[in-house]
Amino acid sequence: MCEVTTIVTTAGRPDDLSMALAAFACKQLNAPFEPRKKRSVRKISVSLQANVIVAGKNRFEYYAFGESEPFFFHPNSAAFRLKRVARGEAEPFLEATQLQEGDSVLDCTLGLAADAMLAAFTVGEHGKVVGLEANPNVAFIVAQGTQTYDTTELPLTACMRQIEVVQSEAVAYLKALPDNAFDVVYMDPMFEEVIEEANNFEALRSAGAHVALTEEWVQEAKRVAKKRVVLKAHFRSEWFEKYGFTRLARVTSKFHYGVLENL
């Protein structure tokens, strides 16, 4: 079976901007350009046995091979969560992480960066938020989205711009860090079970890297975290007990948080 590669193309009717964005994507991903020639993305993907990055006028889209729906960046989830926090409402992620202004946060599983944006809002301009994404195509889409997405909503824009997106597998990145490099290390691996209500993450589930929590990952996170390691997982997950996390149960939610204190 042939290895699935990644190619870059444009929207159906490319203009100069689309061509420039496509050239940028090719350079960033070291991927070849394929002219659209009025073909559907699916036809291009099947004929070339490839993942497809589409450089549109307003955004990049990523079609993982065999998928009909694209993955693209949008801060919807973070936007309404930030509004709740601004109103003084409880936010489970922030309750679990106990972040303070000036803290440094390593998000090992960045995804759409919603949690990272909340972290950036809380740690402020003197804090630091680094997000890891193993899949290079997803990392590219999210990195470009957080730095260029056009919104007039504050503080959402500032929170997006503050995140440093790093394309790396989590354990490899952690191993290269010194002890106590970050105040908080956060992990939200792909759920072992699908949460049906979370259909807005289906494109990410198809495009992103699927990883299981391991003893090595937890131990490296504990070494790197100065204050605490936080895990988010399905409420049926055995990870909390298996790796010694104190579970923060949420009766009405299908996912829970777990904490390992390093204080």
Side-chain angles (χ1 to χ4, degrees), residues 47-229:
S47 64
L48 297 177
Q49 294 288 289
N51 304 309
V52 180
I53 299 284
V54 178
K57 296 178 181 180
N58 300 314
R59 70 188 187 196
F60 289 102
E61 295 182 343
Y62 169 39
Y63 290 80
F65 179 69
E67 298 296 327
S68 59
E69 295 299 322
F71 170 72
F72 58 90
F73 177 80
H74 197 288
N76 261 354
S77 173
F80 70 73
R81 290 170 70 188
L82 277 171
K83 288 178 181 177
R84 291 206 306 253
V85 171
R87 292 195 297 265
E89 296 180 23
E91 165 53 51
F93 167 76
L94 296 179
E95 291 177 343
T97 54
Q98 293 292 296
L99 293 174
Q100 298 178 355
E101 187 172 356
D103 276 351
S104 56
V105 183
L106 177 63
D107 185 343
C108 292
T109 46
L110 184 62
L112 281 164
D115 292 323
M117 282 184 250
L118 263 74
F121 172 75
T122 306
V123 303
E125 62 180 4
H126 298 298
K128 178 182 180 181
V129 179
V130 175
L132 307 181
E133 174 52 55
N135 183 297
N137 296 327
V138 173
F140 171 77
I141 294 290
V142 177
Q144 295 309 306
T146 55
Q147 294 306 307
T148 64
Y149 188 89
D150 186 16
T151 176
T152 58
E153 292 188 57
L154 293 174
L156 181 60
T157 300
C159 294
M160 286 192 290
R161 303 294 189 260
Q162 188 175 341
I163 300 167
E164 178 187 351
V165 179
V166 176
Q167 190 272 305
S168 177
E169 189 273 331
V171 176
Y173 189 84
L174 286 164
K175 282 185 171 181
L177 293 173
D179 295 355
N180 301 319
F182 285 84
D183 290 302
V184 175
V185 175
Y186 176 61
M187 305 178 293
D188 176 13
M190 289 286 185
F191 291 128
E192 304 106 302
E193 299 187 38
V194 174
I195 299 178
E196 293 180 359
E197 295 91 325
N199 55 11
N200 56 319
F201 290 99
E202 282 306 303
L204 175 59
R205 186 181 297 279
S206 299
H210 291 243
V211 290
L213 196 63
T214 63
E215 180 69 30
E216 183 181 33
W217 190 353
V218 173
Q219 292 305 315
E220 287 296 326
K222 288 172 66 177
R223 181 185 62 80
V224 168
K226 187 184 302 182
K227 295 182 178 179
R228 65 186 55 82
V229 179

